[in-house]
């Protein structure tokens, strides 16, 4: 597969050149919605979701037949600071579980007939401890973005990106703080279940990273404070925009990665919806900063793309109603 960018500057340029929604398809979908056999607005947010989806697919009466779930895994040098309740070895162990079909995300992908792919990114070479040095070199960041971009199937009609990486809630908290301001205490959460001492340690680690790096530029923040799996998710979400594939964002870590794109170019996430509100404390704050309202709120905090994968069902329901219902004229039902 030939990638459309070989440098970070070229990736930035793609953000400004990305296609928008098809307004003709959106308008036609809106007209169709007004003719369906239901009172106006009776399906609530499902109606707006269907119109939004139709615009990005360029089809006033679309279908969802080929959703794709991609899980990216990476390891983090910042784990040396004791920020996780689990050892870094768990990342590789969970990748094996994904590959053998034993994780929650495997079951959810199967439940909604989604193709699932797993990409492990240099697990034997963790990123640098961002309290001591930039997490990635420019070459490593570029490679991760390219991996994410290439992982997207251009024939997919809906995308979910998920992650696995012990320590990555700390990286996501540091990235969110760099992008939107605040301190470690504002953004650090319990992640996999750290105790009060662990939470304080995470906040201090985030503050140390923010003090060390000049990360006002979003991609530079991703390079210095993020991780390979976060960068890969950003690359995949950008690729989906290029291919006009709507995206369902997962929890805090995925949303932090996606925020890099929005801060790089305003409107870069217009093709995305928030799948759910996770139990990670700062996720709501991050969604508010991006202007995203979650589809679900079930107290999930697993990661893996699980909340977004569950929201595939909501999207499928919205499209099934929009495209499959009869209009008043077709059904012979009076609309007055």
């Amino acid at each position: 597969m030939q990638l459309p960018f070989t440098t970070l500057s070229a990736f930035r340029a793609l953000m400004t050149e990305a296609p928008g929604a098809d307004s003709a398809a959106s308008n036609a979908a809106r007209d169709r919605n007004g003719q369906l056999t239901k009172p106006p607005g009776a399906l609530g947010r499902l109606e707006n979701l269907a119109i939004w989806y139709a615009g990005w697919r360029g089809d006033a009466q679309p279908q969802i037949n080929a959703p794709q779930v991609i899980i990216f895994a990476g390891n983090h040098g910042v784990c040396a600071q004791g920020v996780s309740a689990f050892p870094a070895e768990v990342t590789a162990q969970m990748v094996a579980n994904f590959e053998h079909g034993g994780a929650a995300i495997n079951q959810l992908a199967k439940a909604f007939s989604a193709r699932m792919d797993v990409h492990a990114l240099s697990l034997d070479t963790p990123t640098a401890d961002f309290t001591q040095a930039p997490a990635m070199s420019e070459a490593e960041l570029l490679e991760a973005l390219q991996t994410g971009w290439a992982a997207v199937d251009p024939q997919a009609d809906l995308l979910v990106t998920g992650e696995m990486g012990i320590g990555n809630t700390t990286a996501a908290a540091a990235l969110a703080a760099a992008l939107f301001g605040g301190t470690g205490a504002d953004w650090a959460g319990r992640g996999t279940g750290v105790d009060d001492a662990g939470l304080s340690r995470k906040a201090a680690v985030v503050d140390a990273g923010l003090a060390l790096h000049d990360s006002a530029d979003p991609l530079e923040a991703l390079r210095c404070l993020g991780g390979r799996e976060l960068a890969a998710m950003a690359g995949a979400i950008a690729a989906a925009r290029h291919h006009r594939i709507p995206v369902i964002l997962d929890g805090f870590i995925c949303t932090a990665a996606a925020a890099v794109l929005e801060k790089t170019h305003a409107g870069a996430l217009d093709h995305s919806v928030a799948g759910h509100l996770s139990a990670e404390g700062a996720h709501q704050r991050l969604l508010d900063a991006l202007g995203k309202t979650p589809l679900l709120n079930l107290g999930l905090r697993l990661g893996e793309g699980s909340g977004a994968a569950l929201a595939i069902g909501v999207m499928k329901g919205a499209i099934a109603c929009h495209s499959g219902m009869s209009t008043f004229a077709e059904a012979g039902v009076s609309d007055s």
Side-chain angles (χ1 to χ4, degrees), residues 227-269:
R228 291 186 180 91
E229 78 276 38
L230 277 79
M233 286 192 289
I237 293 165
R241 176 68 173 262
H242 180 79
H243 298 302
R244 302 174 70 99
I245 301 169
V247 171
I248 304 177
L249 301 175
D250 194 45
F252 180 63
I253 299 161
C254 174
T255 307
V260 172
L261 303 177
E262 184 67 24
K263 295 293 281 187
T264 298
H265 182 72
L269 296 181

Side-chain angles (χ1 to χ4, degrees), residues 21-22 25-34 45-57 59-60 62 315 318-319 322:
D22 184 326
S26 297
N27 290 335
R30 190 171 291 104
D31 289 344
R32 173 177 173 77
N33 180 63
R45 193 175 172 193
L46 293 185
E47 298 181 19
N48 291 331
L49 284 171
I51 294 166
W52 166 82
Y53 182 88
W56 283 103
R57 295 304 290 164
D59 183 348
M315 286 302 309
I319 297 307
H322 175 85

